[in-house]
Amino acid sequence: MSDISLASSHASRNAAEPARAGWGSRAGFVLAAAGSAVGLGAVWKFPYVVGKHGGGAFLLVYLASVFTLGLALLLAEMTIGRLTGRSATTAFRMLGGRAWAWAGRISALNAFLILAFYCVVGGWTIAYLLRSITGEALVADTARLHSQFNTFIADPWEALAFAGLFLVATAVVVIGGVQKGIERAGKILMPALFVLMLMVIARSLTLPGAMDGVAYFLMPDFAQLSGESLLQALGLAFFSLSLGAGIIIAYGSYLPKDAPLVSSCVWVGSMATLACLLAGLMVLPAVFAFGLPPDAGPGLTFIAMPAIFAQMPFGHAVAIAFFLLLLFAALTSSVSLLEPVVAFLIDEYAWPRRRAVVVVAIATFVAGIPAALSFGAWKDVEVFGRSLFDIMDYTAMNIGMPLGGLFVAALVSWRIWPQARTVLGGMRARWLVPTWRGMCLVLTPIAVLAIWYQNL
Ligand code: PFF
């Protein structure tokens, strides 16, 4: 057995069978966790957030966040999963006591909130896949692409229908228990996405004027950094590693007992970062070559990509393959987001799995309506000066996920440290033990609280 179906495992736990399926191999876990990490965050969010916060300096802060706090928290979440073999709420309660169950509830709430706006962008991906098939999206004129995109996202029916379709696809995967198949397919499809991105990068870099975009992306200009950009970089690190939402806890709970945790973390972190770097190199040079403003916001990737496809050999086929692979990557992430919310209802209220999936999918759709309409019908509605889509995104990325991360760090480095450190038992690199604890116990709270304080 090389992979598992989370579905069957939760079901067997419900039936109080002691046997619990495992990933069987570390590769199964790394692929599933990387499948959750690599998705729209890298391809859609990363380029526009870098573009909004000034390029290279932001990239450095993002990388520093991933390779310090990000990896430390990834390891901490895996540890919680490994020690308990349970999903977040139960795991927090088992290790910390009753009050800690709140930490698990908050992480499930994060997953729910993220999925509510993630499905809107998942819907855009489906729409662009269809438009690539019909050829409608292959336009070289970026002004036209811009207006096409704006008209499309402003249409309430289309926005809702495509978001709904994306959620239905997610729910079908989770109900059908076909995660196993999806993870197997990921072995081929994720590398395929990376290879395709390399091909597109080759075209993007050879567009006239592209080097300005490369310089913008890779040369740090620290004058561009603000308190808000630090918060965004940290939030983006959480988002791109799928932290603070209970997902890595649940996936870690299926790891075989002897799997090496640290190298698994490094694998997942590196794949997520690589995806972001490739996406940046694909989108930003083209943005500069086409004279688009890098701070154009959430539409950046969807406007720049079709323009590249329109100017590359076999562009039509490449466009279809790209949006198909992106949709697949988005689904492996959305499936991972639905799972903790479903697991919460199964574990806490003993709901049957199918009912839990259907109810959560419908509730997510309803919660996502404001996000879907915020580019059109409800464009002028603002909360704290942000659109409805933005406020959901901001709350999840900058408040919810860091809060979830704080709980994880506190549980592992303080409440259960003697137990937690045993997972590093056989490590030869002894320095890792105090470093990990220091990052969780000292650096995480300082970074999160300082940045929150600054932004308030
Ligand atoms: N990491 C995913 C992406 O970058 O697309 C999104 C995501 C999944 C965020 C799961 C958070 C999460 F818990």
Side-chain angles (χ1 to χ4, degrees):
M1 184 180 65
S2 67
D3 304 288
I4 52 132
S5 157
L6 296 181
S8 62
S9 181
H10 280 299
S12 69
R13 188 188 328 149
N14 249 7
E17 283 172 20
R20 186 178 163 86
W23 295 109
S25 72
R26 182 183 57 153
F29 165 78
V30 170
L31 273 167
S36 167
V38 174
L40 296 170
V43 177
W44 155 74
K45 188 182 255 300
F46 180 81
Y48 91 78
V49 176
V50 173
K52 209 166 163 183
H53 291 277
F58 181 88
L59 173 66
L60 270 188
V61 181
Y62 166 78
L63 290 176
S65 307
V66 166
F67 286 99
T68 54
L69 297 187
L71 289 191
L73 292 178
L74 207 50
L75 182 58
E77 289 207 12
M78 273 184 209
T79 302
I80 296 175
R82 153 76 69 83
L83 289 175
T84 58
R86 290 290 181 269
S87 55
T89 315
T90 318
F92 270 108
R93 186 186 299 118
M94 275 169 77
L95 292 174
R98 270 187 43 203
W100 283 83
W102 276 103
R105 293 187 191 118
I106 287 173
S107 53
L109 192 64
N110 284 341
F112 176 73
L113 183 62
I114 296 168
L115 190 56
F117 69 84
Y118 202 82
C119 67
V120 174
V121 186
W124 297 352
T125 313
I126 299 180
Y128 270 73
L129 171 61
L130 297 178
R131 288 165 170 234
S132 300
I133 294 172
T134 60
E136 205 185 326
L138 279 110
V139 178
D141 174 3
T142 47
R144 229 178 97 200
L145 282 168
H146 208 159
S147 78
Q148 249 184 17
F149 179 77
N150 286 338
T151 316
F152 159 62
I153 59 173
D155 181 330
W157 299 114
E158 275 200 301
L160 287 173
F162 283 113
L165 199 59
F166 183 79
L167 274 176
V168 168
T170 305
V172 165
V173 173
V174 176
I175 292 184
V178 291
Q179 278 105 321
K180 188 171 161 185
I182 296 257
E183 276 138 27
R184 291 233 177 89
K187 282 184 193 167
I188 300 165
L189 297 182
M190 198 187 308
L193 177 64
F194 284 14
V195 170
L196 198 75
M197 287 211 269
L198 280 173
M199 285 164 53
V200 180
I201 288 172
R203 181 63 192 111
S204 181
L205 290 183
T206 48
L207 291 165
M211 284 307 138
D212 291 343
V214 176
Y216 176 83
F217 183 42
L218 298 179
M219 309 282 260
D221 171 6
F222 290 98
Q224 303 278 350
L225 284 183
S226 63
E228 157 141 23
S229 47
L230 294 179
L231 180 62
Q232 285 288 338
L234 187 70
L236 193 57
F238 276 83
F239 193 88
S240 63
L241 296 177
S242 300
L243 289 173
I247 287 161
I248 306 297
I249 297 181
Y251 281 15
S253 71
Y254 300 95
L255 263 170
K257 288 286 173 236
D258 54 351
L261 293 190
V262 174
S263 57
S264 303
C265 279
V266 174
W267 267 106
V268 175
S270 306
M271 277 157 93
T273 320
L274 179 65
C276 288
L277 289 174
L278 291 178
L281 278 176
M282 181 171 77
V283 175
L284 290 168
V287 162
F288 277 75
F290 298 139
L292 292 166
D295 59 355
L300 200 63
T301 296
F302 286 91
I303 295 165
M305 295 306 299
I308 312 177
F309 298 139
Q311 301 186 31
M312 89 183 261
F314 308 108
H316 195 166
V318 175
I320 296 172
F322 174 82
F323 284 112
L324 199 59
L325 291 172
L326 182 59
L327 179 60
F328 179 81
L331 278 172
T332 54
S333 303
S334 62
V335 162
S336 82
L337 282 163
L338 187 57
E339 187 62 42
V341 192
V342 167
F344 168 75
L345 293 172
I346 295 176
D347 288 359
E348 296 292 301
Y349 302 105
W351 279 25
R353 185 173 183 82
R354 182 184 284 264
R355 192 211 299 169
V357 174
V358 172
V359 169
V360 175
I362 294 174
T364 310
F365 181 73
V366 173
I369 292 176
L373 299 187
S374 80
F375 298 96
W378 293 356
K379 177 161 98 244
D380 299 322
V381 183
E382 286 194 349
V383 182
F384 297 119
R386 292 173 191 274
S387 73
L388 293 168
F389 181 95
D390 250 16
I391 195 78
M392 287 166 80
D393 183 347
Y394 185 89
T395 308
M397 213 170 87
N398 300 315
I399 300 172
M401 301 176 92
L403 183 63
L406 263 184
F407 285 133
V408 166
L411 181 72
V412 164
S413 63
W414 170 61
R415 184 88 173 86
I416 60 153
W417 175 246
Q419 200 183 350
R421 65 177 298 168
T422 58
V423 300
L424 294 184
M427 287 291 301
R428 244 184 284 141
R430 300 308 308 161
W431 58 269
L432 264 175
V433 179
T435 309
W436 180 37
R437 189 176 196 198
M439 293 213 181
C440 291
L441 193 64
V442 184
L443 196 61
T444 304
I446 291 183
V448 172
L449 295 177
I451 295 174
W452 276 349
Y453 179 75
Q454 244 244 316
N455 278 271
L456 280 179

